[in-house]
Amino acid sequence: MDDIKAVTAKHHEDAAHQFEVAAKMHYEAARHCTSGNFEKSEHLATSAAEAEAVANRHALQALDQYRHHAQEVADRKAEAASEEAARVAKHEAKAAANE
């Protein structure tokens, strides 16, 4: 469980960092655009878009961790319910045989 927490938290941290980097690049691109330096603005906008793509990839990896964890929990619950049902059925069969 701690591993899932650490991995998922790291993905969120990496996504946040990449979004921060992208935001700074967008501000710089706007500044360069305002001063007429379109080439530099375009370069920064492209780099910002790439950083956003990396951030989104990390966000999706975090979501995959959540889905994987939820599936593991559901599987454990289903297994426990199945074992409980088998235990109850065995108990009922034993009680019926003793009557």
Side-chain angles (χ1 to χ4, degrees), residues 16-50:
H17 175 72
Q18 289 297 321
F19 280 125
E20 289 171 357
V21 168
K24 289 176 185 176
M25 286 186 212
H26 280 299
Y27 282 118
E28 282 296 306
R31 190 174 63 78
H32 284 285
C33 184
T34 301
S35 66
N37 190 349
F38 296 120
E39 186 177 320
K40 181 69 174 179
S41 181
E42 180 184 11
H43 172 72
L44 286 165
T46 301
S47 295
E50 291 168 353

Side-chain angles (χ1 to χ4, degrees), residues 81-97:
S82 176
E83 289 173 358
E84 178 63 16
R87 187 190 66 75
V88 168
K90 182 178 176 182
H91 178 71
E92 289 174 352
K94 191 174 188 179

Side-chain angles (χ1 to χ4, degrees), residues 59-98:
L60 289 173
Q61 288 171 329
L63 289 174
D64 284 343
Q65 288 292 321
Y66 290 128
R67 289 183 192 115
H68 179 71
H69 175 68
Q71 185 61 50
E72 286 180 348
V73 169
D75 290 347
R76 282 195 301 266
K77 285 182 179 181
E79 184 177 343
S82 176
E83 289 173 358
E84 178 63 16
R87 187 190 66 75
V88 168
K90 182 178 176 182
H91 178 71
E92 289 174 352
K94 191 174 188 179
N98 288 337

